[in-house]
Amino acid sequence: MVTRQRGRPRSFDRLTALEQATMAFWEHGYETTSVSDLTRVMGISAPSLYAAFGDKKTLFEEVVEAYALGHGAYGSRAFAEEPTARAAVGRMLREAAVVFTEPGHPHGCLMISAAVNCSTPEVEEALRARRNDNLAAFESRIRQDVEAGELPPDTDPHALARLAGAVLQGMSLQARDGATAEELAAVADAAMRAWPAARGGEVEPKGS
């Protein structure tokens, strides 16, 4: 006796569909991207979307996670690879200037732009929590450098972390408004000049 397989085989590439959903949310934000918008850009039916990804909110959660590990991974790489908070933040901002403006995807940062005009509390809170986690990581790394003597003892880690976050968010918005990579790189360099002098009065070379 032959047992028939239940259900139809998936007729689309899941990773490609996820990337297409990422582009839609990145461009239009969470709230204004409808399920019909998603099925159109993903090239699948609504039942296929629900079967493969769950509802819109669940799909967006997966999009954000994939973004953090892909397009948005420049920050975590900088903090993992650079020896000091100053070097890590400087690299993060300079790489953001490139990522926020490069062709092939919407400008700015998905986690910042997708939250604009978001009225879904769970989504808004999840994005806020991610941004606050990033600020906490900035602050922790800066505090370590103060304790290690890499930064002056009167450095305010909380304020300096907030400065980094504010510059990053502002760069994202300016990229959406048409700022170039060169203009945003200049913003990054100006922000780093606001940092207290490193140990021994060293100044980070421009573009390092």
Side-chain angles (χ1 to χ4, degrees):
M1 183 174 113
V2 177
T3 302
R4 298 184 62 182
Q5 189 175 23
R6 300 181 64 183
R8 298 177 60 187
R10 186 175 295 158
S11 59
F12 64 93
D13 181 83
R14 195 178 190 282
L15 289 178
T16 299
L18 183 64
E19 179 69 5
Q20 291 163 335
T22 298
M23 296 300 111
F25 282 125
W26 197 345
E27 178 65 32
H28 303 292
Y30 176 81
E31 206 65 44
T32 57
T33 302
S34 66
V35 170
S36 61
D37 292 331
L38 291 167
T39 56
R40 176 175 50 80
V41 299
M42 296 166 78
I44 61 177
S45 66
S48 293
L49 185 153
Y50 294 130
F53 298 100
D55 59 13
K56 173 183 165 182
K57 184 169 73 69
T58 304
L59 170 59
F60 182 69
E61 290 169 355
E62 187 170 344
V63 160
V64 169
E65 189 62 33
Y67 175 87
L69 297 173
H71 296 289
Y74 57 89
S76 58
R77 281 197 304 267
F79 275 83
E81 296 172 6
E82 295 299 329
T84 66
R86 184 188 186 94
V89 170
R91 173 178 163 181
M92 176 186 71
L93 294 179
R94 286 189 293 271
E95 292 191 8
V98 175
V99 173
F100 288 176
T101 58
E102 64 189 358
H105 60 69
H107 287 178
C109 171
L110 180 147
M111 293 190 203
I112 295 170
S113 59
V116 175
N117 298 324
C118 181
S119 59
T120 304
E122 300 91 339
V123 172
E124 185 181 23
E125 176 55 36
L127 291 172
R128 183 187 303 115
R130 279 185 175 268
R131 294 193 299 271
N132 285 338
D133 285 347
N134 287 338
L135 291 177
F138 298 167
E139 182 175 346
S140 176
R141 185 66 174 274
I142 294 166
R143 194 175 303 280
Q144 289 175 25
D145 280 11
V146 173
E147 293 170 354
E150 293 288 344
L151 289 169
D154 60 349
T155 299
D156 185 339
H158 183 76
L160 210 51
R162 286 274 170 186
L163 172 63
V167 172
L168 190 65
Q169 291 180 21
M171 288 171 62
S172 175
L173 293 173
Q174 290 194 16
R176 300 280 289 191
D177 286 343
T180 65
E182 292 75 17
E183 289 171 330
L184 296 182
V187 170
D189 288 337
M192 295 313 299
R193 287 195 291 272
W195 275 55
R199 182 175 58 187
E202 301 152 349
V203 177
E204 182 186 28
K206 183 176 180 179
S208 66

